[in-house]
Amino acid sequence: MSSHYEAPIREPLVTGEKSYHDISVDVGAPVLGKANKSWWIVFSIALVAFLWGLGCIIYTISTGIGVWGLNKTIGWAWDITNFVWWVGIGHAGTLISAVLLLFRQKWRMAVNRSAEAMTIFAVVQAGLFPIIHMGRPWLAYWVLPIPNQFGSLWVNFNSPLLWDVFAISTYLSVSLVFWWTGLLPDFAMIRDRAVKPFQKKIYTLLSFGWSGRAKDWQRFEEVSLVLAGLATPLVLSVHTIVSFDFATSVVPGWHSTIFPPYFVAGAIFSGFAMVQTLLIVMRKVSNLEDYITLLHIEYMNKVIILTGGIVSIAYITEYFIGWYSGSSYENYTYLSYGAATGPYWWAFWALITCNFIVPLTLWVKKWRRNIMWTFVVALVINIGMWFERFNIIVVDLSKGRTPSGWTMFSPTFVDIGIFMGTIGFFFVLFLLYARTFPVIAQAEVKTILKSSGERYKRLREAGKS
Amino acid sequence: MYKLSGKLKLFSIVLMVLGLVGLTYGFLNTPKTVDDVKEILAAQNSHHEGESALSENDETHKEAFVDQARGEEGYAAAAMEQHEAQMDQEHHGNHLEHVLHQLQTKPWSATLVSAFFFFMIALGALVFYAIQYAAQAGWSPVLFRVMEGITSYLLPGSIIVVLLVILAGTHFYPWQNHELVAEDKILQGKSGFLNFPFFVIRAIVYLLGWNLYRYFSRKNSLNESATDLNPYRKNFKISVFFLIFFIITESLMSWDWFMSMTPHWYSTLFAWYVFASMFVSAITVIALVTIYLKSKGLVSFINDSHLHDLGKFMFAFSIFWTYLWFDQFMLIWYANMPEEVVYFVMRIQEYNLLFFGMLVLNFVFPILILMNSDFKRVPWFIVIAGIAILVGHYIDIYLLVMPSTVGVNYSFGITEIASIAFFLGLFIYVVGTGLSKVNLRPEGNPFIKESEHYHY
């Protein structure tokens, strides 16, 4: 039996009559070709949003945090909501590239590159918020334990906000290295196919002289595996630490031991929704439908069903234990009867609808394999997961232990502007990426072509191989 | 075909008989009256020179402390009485009654710890099996008969555990004591969930659901053939629905059977933590049984790579268990809220060595042994790591039950050893018989060829 044996029951992952050469051509096309008009239009819109957000950030820092809608009770609102939302979105990238590598899921190969890019760009957006929500961001470097002239005044390592600094910076650097390592053979492919001298020069620099020798490949595989093994606990711990920001506190609704795994599940849930949103468009505009097939979309929907289910169980647990605790303070937490009927009822029901009810439709095979519907559901989940973080943060803070402190929150245009700005910035980066990077890990896809390609499967069934 | 050897059969029966004798001794040997308790305490005092008197006071403090933090409403009757006893010598009798109750609970707790430990292995193996189906795993179908053999313990195991939790009454569950509930507003608030009829109904629902899945999945699995994919498809479907049913019932089960032993205490992570313990123990047993069968030369189609994968799962889920253990512990330690910390105060002050020792067995040891990929292919390495993991998780279950039911009056003696012996014997007997019913090579699964040629 050849090493390429695969059970006939498995569906093909590469459709069409693809050969190794076709893969190189298809993946190289967007990079080596020219951008069309619609790319420029979308890019301009994203750039404008980014610049507007940048203006809002400069305005905040130069005027003061008071330009946001925060008040004395609710000191965290859109800033940290957006931070957790962006970090969460980033998690799907690492899940696809690391966890699915450990589980030997071949289908990840067509989606991992873009998912990792999404991770990095999302973490960049997330990383803005811890800085700009500071009252005195120019002193941000004080969070680092560096010897100094204040008698070596150090940070207190007991704060989860400090752990965040280490978690996010480590996460960004490891993801970046992991992503770049995987890019080497693909940059080399672009380098070898480029005809314009300037382009050739650039990709020569980017590909670090990759020549694809057996020894290089062997080490490449080992490094990937080790990095995947390290990135998996990293991805779990990063969002765990983000959840500690809330769970270590004594705020009713925040202090909950389930937060760490539940936040991680929510992160993967929202991250996969974002991957769906991006890839459904990308496969169309970059003509990659033979690589990112309906099967990939269905598999990702299944991950969404799974993580959405875990999140739902956590909601039920939170709601139940809130009641079970017998503590009257738990009556106003984000998953309580009080929240469902209180002034933030719309946020509560937005969460339930977007994260629980709508994703249930994916249980139906026909809808799960419907690209348009998947796109809609993915968008809804992105909105729902934003509401989840908003509810956890704002609803829980709005009705704390002393009723005299109860209040509401409403955002100002600056809160909204900065959020729009990060979305713009994200798309600026992602659109540039889509034009300059090989968006599919062609080297990896080539390794599964003969076992999982449609053409080879057909030949095998006909007994010709 | 595997056949449970006469020697092993005899061994398991001897274990069961010895276990039963020891358990009977344990149940008969509990103190009957307060006077017996006085004698026991006096004997202890002469040993420890008043040390235990000190710890008694400590305990009283703790319980009173917990409920004071919840305000006047939160006074549990027991704490109330103990609080008074502390100030008023005349009420000393109440404390002795408390100790009497805990001593009478001891054999019950010892039985539950072992019964649940072996039952959760069968249940965890069933979940692992369902996941393999739902994930359409290509490596594991060769192990299906082994897993099914282990899950054959589910039926007897689950019946015994359900009977224990139903019959134990106030030995385990203070909320079943009507006098206590009458004086305790918090328990009254929970009585919509924590009441006996609903408790029994829930237990029966879990029992039925788990066993029905086990019955039908086994049936379909035996019917699988290369020509007819229907049994396989059915199994795929019911596995998915079983997993949903399981995650819900597992949460409820943990709250019912363990969290409600300390009915004022709660933790949202609790159920998932219990699951992690269950899952890693089950994977370990799957690996150990596979190694045993392989050493008999019965499963030549299972190779090093399969063992390697099981080793990786043992490694990964040991870390996962530690992750959940740490989350629950650290968050409660950090916030230090009185109604929550009581759980860990008791465990750290009175069970210190076990509480932290279990971390060495469940985390440090597996992570060091199973890190190297060559080691994961060496059977005796897996066996050593496996034994450490199983001992560690036995302690984990012990710490789930004992501090909540018998408090400071715990020990590891005849009753505990006897209960391990009994359930180990039963486990060996039932699993051995289950394995010997059909050929260990699953034939008709659509992924079986992929699985047999699996190399990593």
Side-chain angles (χ1 to χ4, degrees):
Chain A
M1 182 51 58
S2 77
S3 60
H4 285 314
Y5 176 78
E6 191 175 272
I9 193 171
R10 294 196 195 276
E11 289 175 59
L13 291 169
V14 181
T15 55
E17 302 287 311
K18 297 295 176 189
S19 64
Y20 289 145
H21 179 68
D22 294 331
I23 296 176
S24 301
V25 172
D26 292 343
V27 174
V31 183
L32 300 167
K34 267 196 156 55
N36 60 16
K37 209 162 113 198
S38 35
W39 186 89
W40 282 106
I41 293 172
V42 179
F43 181 74
S44 308
I45 296 171
L47 193 64
V48 169
F50 168 43
L51 292 174
W52 172 250
L54 201 61
C56 288
I57 291 172
I58 292 167
Y59 175 56
T60 305
I61 292 174
S62 55
T63 313
I65 286 291
V67 301
W68 291 359
L70 302 176
N71 52 50
K72 285 179 189 163
T73 299
I74 301 173
W76 273 357
W78 277 51
D79 47 353
I80 301 300
T81 301
N82 298 335
F83 164 69
V84 182
W85 187 72
W86 276 119
V87 179
I89 283 177
H91 275 50
T94 319
L95 188 98
I96 290 175
S97 54
V99 180
L100 296 185
L101 175 75
L102 295 184
F103 282 113
R104 297 187 297 262
Q105 297 298 304
K106 291 176 177 176
W107 62 271
R108 100 200 145 77
M109 290 173 178
V111 290
N112 59 357
R113 175 68 39 76
S114 297
E116 285 168 57
M118 187 194 75
T119 294
I120 286 156
F121 304 147
V123 174
V124 167
Q125 308 313 320
L128 290 172
F129 287 99
I131 309 277
I132 61 174
H133 91 307
M134 287 181 177
R136 282 168 282 176
W138 47 89
L139 296 181
Y141 69 97
W142 283 13
V143 304
L144 301 173
I146 29 179
N148 52 58
Q149 292 185 326
F150 298 101
S152 226
L153 180 68
W154 271 35
V155 288
N156 184 342
F157 286 97
N158 289 335
S159 167
L161 297 181
L162 182 68
W163 308 340
D164 268 346
V165 174
F166 301 131
I168 302 293
S169 54
T170 311
Y171 186 47
L172 182 62
S173 15
V174 172
S175 302
L176 202 58
V177 170
F178 195 13
W179 187 50
W180 206 275
T181 315
L183 275 161
L184 293 178
D186 290 13
F187 277 146
M189 182 274 284
I190 302 282
R191 169 198 69 198
D192 297 343
R193 295 185 64 78
V195 279
K196 286 177 267 181
F198 179 68
Q199 210 172 25
K200 208 170 189 76
K201 182 95 190 151
I202 293 289
Y203 288 100
T204 309
L205 282 173
L206 294 180
S207 61
F208 292 2
W210 177 266
S211 56
R213 293 173 307 160
K215 197 72 199 169
D216 297 348
W217 275 116
Q218 187 225 332
R219 297 234 161 95
F220 176 88
E221 297 271 327
E222 274 175 26
V223 166
S224 306
L225 201 58
V226 170
L227 279 179
L230 291 174
T232 302
L234 185 65
V235 74
L236 261 77
S237 67
V238 168
H239 221 66
T240 293
I241 287 169
V242 170
S243 83
F244 285 167
D245 294 349
F246 311 102
T248 52
S249 74
V250 292
V251 176
W254 282 12
H255 181 68
S256 173
T257 49
I258 209 172
F259 267 25
Y262 149 56
F263 266 52
V264 173
I268 297 163
F269 183 54
S270 68
F272 264 83
M274 189 58 115
V275 177
Q276 293 277 36
T277 318
L278 296 173
L279 288 189
I280 286 175
V281 178
M282 184 193 260
R283 70 194 282 275
K284 191 88 191 161
V285 296
S286 300
N287 294 317
L288 297 169
E289 282 128 319
D290 282 330
Y291 305 99
I292 303 168
T293 65
L294 200 54
L295 187 66
H296 290 83
I297 290 171
E298 191 187 6
Y299 280 155
M300 288 196 278
N301 275 335
K302 284 184 177 176
V303 178
I304 288 177
I305 293 173
L306 173 70
T307 49
I310 295 172
V311 172
S312 304
I313 289 291
Y315 291 164
I316 296 167
T317 306
E318 285 272 319
Y319 198 96
F320 174 79
I321 299 284
W323 169 81
Y324 181 86
S325 73
S327 160
S328 53
Y329 301 117
E330 294 281 335
N331 295 348
Y332 306 107
T333 59
Y334 75 107
L335 280 169
S336 64
Y337 182 73
T341 55
Y344 278 111
W345 62 271
W346 47 273
F348 175 91
W349 290 107
L351 163 79
I352 299 295
T353 313
C354 299
N355 288 352
F356 177 64
I357 297 173
V358 174
L360 281 182
T361 56
L362 295 179
W363 279 94
V364 181
K365 185 163 185 171
K366 217 172 98 188
W367 291 351
R368 179 163 80 221
R369 291 185 77 108
N370 182 321
I371 294 177
M372 270 319 289
W373 182 243
T374 301
F375 189 73
V376 172
V377 172
L379 273 181
V380 167
I381 291 171
N382 279 318
I383 296 168
M385 285 305 292
W386 190 87
F387 269 106
E388 183 194 296
R389 279 67 178 250
F390 177 80
N391 289 6
I392 289 174
I393 293 167
V394 175
V395 176
D396 288 345
L397 286 179
S398 72
K399 284 194 174 182
R401 287 198 157 83
T402 42
S404 60
W406 287 4
T407 185
M408 295 286 286
F409 168 84
S410 51
T412 64
F413 80 93
V414 191
D415 284 302
I416 301 168
I418 292 175
F419 182 45
M420 302 310 280
T422 54
I423 294 177
F425 191 13
F426 176 80
F427 278 102
V428 165
L429 292 172
F430 197 83
L431 286 163
L432 287 173
Y433 149 82
R435 301 269 338 123
T436 49
F437 280 54
V439 294
I440 282 182
Q442 52 90 26
E444 293 200 55
V445 171
K446 283 174 185 171
T447 64
I448 58 163
L449 182 66
K450 287 197 170 167
S451 65
S452 309
E454 189 183 21
R455 172 160 169 248
Y456 291 90
K457 274 181 139 5
R458 204 178 51 236
L459 286 174
R460 208 161 41 232
E461 255 162 64
K464 284 183 188 155
S465 110
Chain B
M1 285 289 276
Y2 171 73
K3 194 156 170 2
L4 182 61
S5 67
K7 240 202 242 159
L8 209 52
K9 200 183 244 172
L10 186 69
F11 175 66
S12 65
I13 290 171
V14 169
L15 275 180
M16 275 190 275
V17 172
L18 286 178
L20 267 185
V21 172
L23 278 178
T24 319
Y25 167 80
F27 274 94
L28 293 179
N29 209 30
T30 52
K32 300 285 170 300
T33 60
V34 175
D35 293 331
D36 296 346
V37 175
K38 272 186 189 153
E39 265 173 45
I40 294 170
L41 287 181
Q44 274 177 2
N45 271 345
S46 64
H47 280 300
H48 300 294
E49 299 284 328
E51 236 177 73
S52 71
L54 197 69
S55 72
E56 271 166 39
N57 268 339
D58 269 0
E59 197 211 344
T60 327
H61 267 305
K62 257 173 274 151
E63 286 187 32
F65 161 71
V66 176
D67 288 314
Q68 264 165 358
R70 305 283 297 270
E72 287 295 323
E73 284 188 354
Y75 267 94
M80 187 88 128
E81 282 162 7
Q82 285 190 13
H83 189 67
E84 283 165 8
Q86 206 186 333
M87 305 193 222
D88 189 353
Q89 281 294 326
E90 283 172 39
H91 283 261
H92 191 61
N94 282 324
H95 174 67
L96 290 177
E97 263 174 40
H98 185 65
V99 175
L100 172 68
H101 184 249
Q102 289 189 333
L103 290 177
Q104 285 174 338
T105 299
K106 259 188 72 180
W108 283 93
S109 302
T111 317
L112 180 70
V113 172
S114 305
F116 185 79
F117 177 73
F118 286 99
F119 151 74
M120 80 171 184
I121 289 170
L123 184 60
L126 192 68
V127 176
F128 190 71
Y129 177 76
I131 291 174
Q132 300 308 310
Y133 260 104
Q136 303 185 313
W139 68 278
S140 53
V142 288
L143 297 165
F144 280 174
R145 295 287 176 262
V146 179
M147 295 185 211
E148 286 163 13
I150 294 169
T151 58
S152 60
Y153 180 75
L154 186 73
L155 185 63
S158 57
I159 289 175
I160 292 171
V161 171
V162 167
L163 282 179
L164 269 174
V165 296
I166 288 177
L167 296 178
T170 53
H171 284 306
F172 291 161
Y173 307 112
W175 52 268
Q176 289 183 13
N177 180 342
H178 296 297
E179 286 166 33
L180 189 73
V181 175
E183 289 174 47
D184 189 319
K185 284 222 174 95
I186 291 178
L187 291 191
Q188 284 161 19
K190 295 180 186 197
S191 61
F193 182 74
L194 293 182
N195 63 70
F196 190 66
F198 192 26
F199 179 82
V200 174
I201 292 171
R202 286 196 301 268
I204 290 170
V205 170
Y206 316 151
L207 187 77
L208 280 178
W210 299 335
N211 282 297
L212 283 176
Y213 169 71
R214 143 79 196 165
Y215 174 79
F216 284 108
S217 66
R218 163 82 165 177
K219 202 173 127 188
N220 287 329
S221 168
L222 293 181
N223 280 340
E224 277 172 357
S225 73
T227 47
D228 181 15
L229 277 178
N230 269 335
Y232 162 76
R233 288 193 200 286
K234 264 193 224 158
N235 248 5
F236 175 80
K237 236 176 214 164
I238 61 172
S239 299
V240 172
F241 285 103
F242 166 71
L243 288 171
I244 303 174
F245 178 81
F246 172 78
I247 192 173
I248 297 169
T249 49
E250 196 272 338
S251 296
L252 287 165
M253 174 208 79
S254 317
W255 301 335
D256 275 357
W257 298 352
F258 298 106
M259 207 163 85
S260 81
M261 286 174 170
T262 45
H264 277 203
W265 183 81
Y266 52 88
S267 164
T268 40
L269 186 61
F270 191 73
W272 295 3
Y273 170 73
V274 174
F275 167 71
S277 204
M278 169 186 298
F279 203 55
V280 70
S281 312
I283 295 168
T284 305
V285 172
I286 295 172
L288 295 185
V289 173
T290 308
I291 289 172
Y292 173 76
L293 292 172
K294 210 166 155 49
S295 74
K296 298 261 156 202
L298 292 162
V299 284
S300 50
F301 48 91
I302 296 177
N303 59 40
D304 284 0
S305 298
H306 297 110
L307 200 60
H308 188 172
D309 271 18
L310 286 171
K312 278 189 271 193
F313 272 110
M314 285 162 66
F315 173 76
F317 280 94
S318 290
I319 299 173
F320 182 70
W321 173 88
T322 315
Y323 166 68
L324 294 184
W325 175 88
F326 177 75
D327 286 340
Q328 184 165 274
F329 171 70
M330 194 281 276
L331 288 175
I332 289 174
W333 168 81
Y334 194 110
N336 202 19
M337 291 159 94
E339 72 264 36
E340 286 185 351
V341 284
V342 59
Y343 188 80
F344 289 112
V345 167
M346 169 61 97
R347 279 157 179 81
I348 289 175
Q349 290 188 349
E350 304 292 343
Y351 292 76
N352 195 289
L353 181 65
L354 286 177
F355 187 72
F356 291 108
M358 137 180 115
L359 278 182
V360 176
L361 291 171
N362 289 346
F363 176 60
V364 181
F365 206 60
I367 201 175
L368 292 179
I369 293 185
L370 296 175
M371 180 79 86
N372 188 314
S373 71
D374 293 332
F375 292 177
K376 284 189 283 261
R377 290 167 178 268
V378 181
W380 66 268
F381 263 102
I382 300 277
V383 171
I384 287 185
I387 290 169
I389 290 172
L390 290 179
V391 172
H393 286 282
Y394 173 84
I395 297 175
D396 192 15
I397 302 301
Y398 187 86
L399 287 175
L400 221 51
V401 174
M402 289 295 181
S404 307
T405 56
V406 304
V408 295
N409 297 302
Y410 74 97
S411 60
F412 192 81
I414 293 176
T415 327
E416 285 77 10
I417 295 169
S419 70
I420 296 177
F422 175 75
F423 288 103
L424 178 65
L426 188 66
F427 189 82
I428 294 175
Y429 184 80
V430 174
V431 172
T433 319
L435 284 169
S436 57
K437 279 190 178 141
V438 290
N439 192 344
L440 288 172
R441 191 189 194 113
E443 299 289 351
N445 189 288
F447 297 107
I448 193 69
K449 204 162 150 195
E450 228 179 75
S451 181
E452 282 179 0
H453 292 96
Y454 171 64
H455 281 286
Y456 182 72

